Amino acid sequence: MDGVLVHEDEAVPGAAEFVAALRAAGRPFLVLTNNSIFTARDLSARLARSGIDVPEGSIWTSALATATFLTEQVPGGSAYVIGEAGLTTAMHEAGYTLTETDPDYVVLGETRTYSFEAITKAIRLIKAGARFIATNPDTTGPSAEGPLPATGSVAAMITAATGRSPYYVGKPNPMMFRSALNRIDAHSETTAMIGDRMDTDVVAGIEAGLETFLVLTGSTAPDEVDHHPFRPSHVVDSVADLVERI
């Protein structure tokens, strides 16, 4: 999503046309994001404000992927959750009970205001036997004032205190893409991934068996591509270059 379709609240040139072409052609697609703060409805509204028409059913977040994964692991389970509406809503809709008492899992997501009390409670629950899950490994997130600590940073703190590392569901775990494929009933052999980061999007796409397109409108600069031991299937300037391929 970010770096491919939008920068902050501005659409990447050609992004609206690309999504419109997908919808006109009837091609199933999902917009993916590691951000677990917002619900799919929130993100659909944000894209609409940027002039990009994406229905909420076509948005797949690390929160939704996490809730789906946990439902497959322990259906109807319980969790102590650190996160915002995107994560708590996904967990509720997946049939999970949110509790501070003897949960099956501690689930760590992103929030604008990490609470020392909540982190302490998470540490104690994990040491008491709760399994540790995190929505994504991103260590920082953007803000108008500069970088903010994100899920990966707080997970590292909890790991240091408990000796337990989390299972990360979001990118670069290919689990994120596999759950997305299942969501739209797609097969890896006929699906492509479009992303702006070599270290999350492209590597996860490769590991999930997808054709990969790196766009140069986000995090990865052209001279950084060769620094990695893997390569995308294609490198293009932006999604505007892909409209004619649909």
Side-chain angles (χ1 to χ4, degrees), residues 51-135:
I52 304 172
D53 186 11
V54 178
E56 62 180 280
S58 294
I59 295 174
W60 192 242
T61 70
S62 63
L64 292 169
T66 297
T68 298
F69 172 73
L70 292 182
T71 298
E72 294 167 351
Q73 294 292 304
V74 181
S78 61
Y80 176 67
V81 175
I82 298 177
E84 298 203 20
L87 182 54
T88 56
T89 300
M91 296 293 290
H92 275 302
E93 291 180 349
Y96 256 64
T97 300
L98 306 191
T99 181
E100 299 181 1
T101 304
D102 194 26
D104 295 311
Y105 294 95
V106 166
V107 180
L108 175 67
E110 203 165 342
T111 173
R112 302 177 188 87
T113 54
Y114 284 108
S115 157
F116 184 78
E117 180 182 354
I119 293 169
T120 300
K121 188 177 295 294
I123 289 168
R124 291 172 179 169
L125 290 171
I126 291 168
K127 289 181 76 69
R131 286 157 284 187
F132 187 16
I133 297 287
T135 57

Side-chain angles (χ1 to χ4, degrees), residues 14-229:
E17 292 80 2
F18 176 72
V19 172
L22 285 173
R23 300 188 69 185
R27 294 203 182 275
F29 71 95
L30 286 177
V31 175
L32 271 64
T33 176
N34 259 1
N35 191 317
S36 65
I37 291 178
F38 303 105
T39 66
R41 182 174 299 177
D42 297 332
L43 294 174
S44 176
R46 175 190 167 195
L47 289 169
R49 288 193 296 271
S50 301
I52 304 172
D53 186 11
V54 178
E56 62 180 280
S58 294
I59 295 174
W60 192 242
T61 70
S62 63
L64 292 169
T66 297
T68 298
F69 172 73
L70 292 182
T71 298
E72 294 167 351
Q73 294 292 304
V74 181
S78 61
Y80 176 67
V81 175
I82 298 177
E84 298 203 20
L87 182 54
T88 56
T89 300
M91 296 293 290
H92 275 302
E93 291 180 349
Y96 256 64
T97 300
L98 306 191
T99 181
E100 299 181 1
T101 304
D102 194 26
D104 295 311
Y105 294 95
V106 166
V107 180
L108 175 67
E110 203 165 342
T111 173
R112 302 177 188 87
T113 54
Y114 284 108
S115 157
F116 184 78
E117 180 182 354
I119 293 169
T120 300
K121 188 177 295 294
I123 289 168
R124 291 172 179 169
L125 290 171
I126 291 168
K127 289 181 76 69
R131 286 157 284 187
F132 187 16
I133 297 287
T135 57
N136 67 83
D138 300 347
T139 55
T140 61
S143 77
E145 294 77 27
L148 295 172
T151 310
S153 295
V154 179
M157 183 193 310
I158 295 173
T159 295
T162 62
R164 300 274 297 281
S165 297
Y167 180 74
Y168 292 106
V169 176
K171 302 177 294 182
N173 188 345
M175 175 73 68
M176 177 86 166
F177 288 147
R178 293 194 184 108
S179 63
L181 289 169
N182 292 336
R183 175 82 169 189
I184 57 175
D185 196 25
H187 193 281
S188 59
E189 291 182 1
T190 55
T191 303
M193 186 288 309
I194 304 165
D196 71 308
R197 292 185 64 112
M198 287 289 290
D199 57 348
T200 55
D201 301 330
V202 171
V203 69
I206 291 171
E207 291 180 0
L210 309 181
E211 185 173 5
T212 55
F213 288 82
L214 176 72
V215 295
L216 301 176
T217 50
S219 298
T220 301
D223 61 355
E224 294 175 335
V225 176
D226 289 335
H227 296 173
H228 297 269

